[in-house]
Amino acid sequence: MTLRVAGGLSSLSPALDILRHMERPFGLVPTMGYLHEGHLALIRAAREAGCATVVTVFVNPTQFAPGEDFASYPRDEKRDFRLASHAGADLVWFPKAEVIYPAGWQTSVLPGALAKRLCGLSRPHFFGGVCSVVLRLFQIIQPQHAWFGEKDFQQLVILRRMVVDFFLPVTLHGMPTVREPDGLAMSSRNARLAPERRDLALTLWRCICRARQAYGAGRRDAATLLAELRADWPAELGLDYMEFRDPKELELQEKLGPKTRLFLAAWLDGVRLIDNSPLE
Ligand code: AMP
């Protein structure tokens, strides 16, 4: 049976007590909802690791800037509960903003240099909001484990850093990006793509495939490969960044190696698309 909590801490606490009787470590899967197979893979992994699995569904206002898509972010709590429950969640919590950010709340997490590149340049508020909400969820739920997707690779690196910097007693687990059959990285925002624009959205995955092919064929110079990929980038797809970086410190790479990752972000009709992949 999956517990569903829609209220605040006073209704969450007894639900967490019930989970404690399972005598298993707590595993947390934080999400913004409108669940898809990428989220469900995280829930299944937590379940398979033997955790009492807590899923949170919260569209976190502090990681959106004014004018971004907070209001239009897709939401469907009923469907989310059903999917999370089928995937093996023991508890799904749908907190309201005033529970996570009660009156008087004013203390945020300020991530450092890792948050000032890639997505952090066009969304300077973003990673501070992510770290703040994840820290708060960690404090409220006190999981021993938490699962995050490599689809948001920079987020995962920054959260790993936060766990080290704050001595948080939680182990983070990264899961590979789950893709549609055609290669498009699954994302709740894909629901907002017009069907006829989907092919354009696939440009990110096509770039990744080309980069991996080129690496496999022996190419090692980042600059020339980037120039080729950028030359074929369609004008209708607003490129935010296309960069080769290492997976630990997210430093720019001039010479490509097997663990080098290609990071991509773009806007299509107001929908933000991101993707990344190692070259091997
Ligand atoms: P979101 O609801 O988009 O904030 O994502 C919640 C969690 O699911 C984050 O850890 C994401 O990295 C992860 N996630 C989102 N999309 C995917 C995907 N396609 N594959 C794997 N994990 C994903």
Side-chain angles (χ1 to χ4, degrees), residues 36-217:
H36 51 66
E37 277 299 319
H39 300 114
L40 302 184
L42 307 182
I43 299 171
R44 287 190 199 107
R47 180 83 191 185
E48 278 158 24
C51 286
T53 302
V54 180
V55 177
T56 55
V57 175
F58 178 59
V59 184
N60 174 33
T62 65
Q63 68 192 65
F64 292 79
E68 288 189 342
D69 59 350
F70 175 71
S72 59
Y73 197 86
R75 292 161 167 91
D76 189 339
E77 290 195 1
K78 250 173 111 172
R79 177 177 169 274
D80 285 345
F81 180 76
R82 183 167 42 80
L83 291 176
S85 175
H86 283 165
D90 294 295
L91 165 61
V92 188
W93 186 32
F94 299 89
K96 300 277 173 289
E98 56 271 26
V99 173
I100 300 295
Y101 303 113
W105 168 80
Q106 55 177 268
T107 310
S108 300
V109 179
L110 183 64
L114 287 169
K116 296 191 173 75
R117 54 198 70 173
L118 297 167
C119 286
L121 290 180
S122 52
R123 307 186 74 195
H125 52 280
F126 177 69
F127 290 111
V130 169
C131 287
S132 298
V133 75
V134 169
L135 179 61
R136 249 171 122 62
L137 293 173
F138 283 173
Q139 304 288 42
I140 294 169
I141 293 159
Q142 306 206 356
Q144 283 76 45
H145 299 270
W147 273 263
F148 295 89
E150 291 183 349
K151 152 102 186 331
D152 302 278
F153 198 86
Q154 185 180 14
Q155 168 175 288
L156 179 57
V157 172
I158 290 170
L159 290 173
R160 284 194 195 285
R161 189 68 242 175
M162 178 177 80
V163 164
V164 172
D165 290 349
F166 288 169
F167 299 101
L168 301 179
V170 55
T171 303
L172 301 197
H173 304 267
M175 291 290 289
T177 302
V178 177
R179 299 179 179 281
E180 302 284 357
D182 60 7
L184 185 68
M186 288 196 181
S187 163
S188 308
R189 289 189 168 99
N190 290 350
R192 291 173 42 222
L193 287 174
E196 66 276 14
R197 305 293 269 174
R198 201 190 146 79
D199 191 61
L200 264 178
L202 266 172
T203 306
L204 284 76
W205 173 240
R206 289 198 193 103
C207 262
I208 286 172
C209 294
R210 269 181 73 183
R212 290 173 65 125
Q213 233 168 9
Y215 181 79

Side-chain angles (χ1 to χ4, degrees), residues 122 197 200-201 203-204 233-242 264-274:
S122 52
R197 305 293 269 174
L200 264 178
T203 306
L204 284 76
W233 190 267
E236 302 124 283
L237 189 59
L239 179 62
D240 182 15
Y241 58 74
M242 178 196 296
L264 293 155
W267 277 282
L268 180 55
D269 305 330
V271 179
R272 185 168 173 82
L273 304 167
I274 61 170

Side-chain angles (χ1 to χ4, degrees), residues 26 193 262 265:
F26 277 12
L193 287 174
L262 177 59

